[in-house]
Amino acid sequence: MATIKRPIREIPNPQVLDAAKQFREGFLLMIAQPPCSGVLLPALHCASIALELYLKSCSAHEIEVPDSAFPGASYIYAESQARSHKLEDLFDQAPSYLRDVIEKGLEGMPRLYRFSSVRDALEAHNGVFLASRYPFEPTSALGAVEMEALSELLQLLESSLRGASHQWIKA
């Protein structure tokens, strides 16, 4: 069955935004565990996925997949056109009004003060995914991950995108 790309899209996409929040919540639950609980790597993995999904919510398109059991009915999914996993590239694909909303939120984030922009903060956190998946490799950046800054970056994206006005954009 062919999928149908909807002619307009809601930005940020609520389905992708909800998935991002779930991964962020998983991160927060795991980092709240006592030291030596054995959940650091899954926590970092959840954080890296949440970062990517928050950003993909800014450029996702809704698609309809016809339901063969119910003629005329469809499932509604979201799909990102972004083929990059680089956080700064995903940020660049967001509409300018959302980039502006996120940038304004940076002012109230003391742990992210050293970054000149959100794009710089995102670029600095590209290594979280690899650190969570390959901590045993010599190039692992696990020791460089700053949990407080990572948590604040997730909070910045969550609060900015939840607080932003949703817009309907021609696809």
Side-chain angles (χ1 to χ4, degrees):
M1 280 184 216
T3 61
I4 301 164
K5 187 175 174 181
R6 291 183 147 191
I8 59 172
R9 60 192 171 116
E10 183 178 3
I11 299 297
N13 181 280
Q15 287 181 312
V16 181
L17 196 56
D18 182 62
K21 183 178 180 176
Q22 289 184 43
F23 278 102
R24 178 178 169 262
E25 293 296 325
F27 165 75
L28 293 173
L29 285 170
M30 285 186 266
I31 63 164
Q33 300 306 306
C36 302
S37 293
V39 294
L40 174 62
L41 297 177
L44 291 176
H45 200 68
C46 281
S48 69
I49 293 170
L51 287 171
E52 186 171 332
L53 289 175
Y54 277 122
L55 296 169
K56 285 188 174 185
S57 78
C58 298
S59 61
H61 293 265
E62 290 182 345
I63 58 170
E64 297 180 33
V65 179
D67 183 346
S68 60
F70 298 98
S74 295
Y75 291 101
I76 306 300
Y77 295 99
E79 131 183 302
S80 176
Q81 302 298 88
R83 297 297 173 227
S84 174
H85 295 285
K86 287 186 173 183
L87 300 174
E88 68 276 12
D89 292 345
L90 295 173
F91 181 73
D92 291 345
Q93 292 180 19
S96 61
Y97 88 94
L98 279 179
R99 289 193 311 264
D100 292 344
V101 166
I102 297 168
E103 285 290 353
K104 284 182 183 173
L106 187 63
E107 295 169 7
M109 300 290 169
R111 290 183 176 91
L112 299 176
Y113 71 91
R114 73 180 182 281
F115 298 105
S116 60
S117 67
V118 170
R119 191 177 193 285
D120 289 344
L122 290 166
E123 186 175 7
H125 285 85
N126 275 326
V128 173
F129 178 76
L130 291 176
S132 71
R133 296 236 358 233
Y134 306 107
F136 43 81
E137 291 186 356
T139 57
S140 172
L142 186 60
V145 175
E146 296 177 33
M147 297 300 278
E148 293 84 8
L150 177 59
S151 185
E152 199 165 84
L153 184 56
L154 287 165
Q155 176 59 41
L156 169 65
L157 293 174
E158 168 68 21
S159 61
S160 297
L161 294 174
R162 291 278 175 199
S165 63
H166 285 236
Q167 292 190 8
W168 291 90
I169 298 173
K170 196 171 188 172

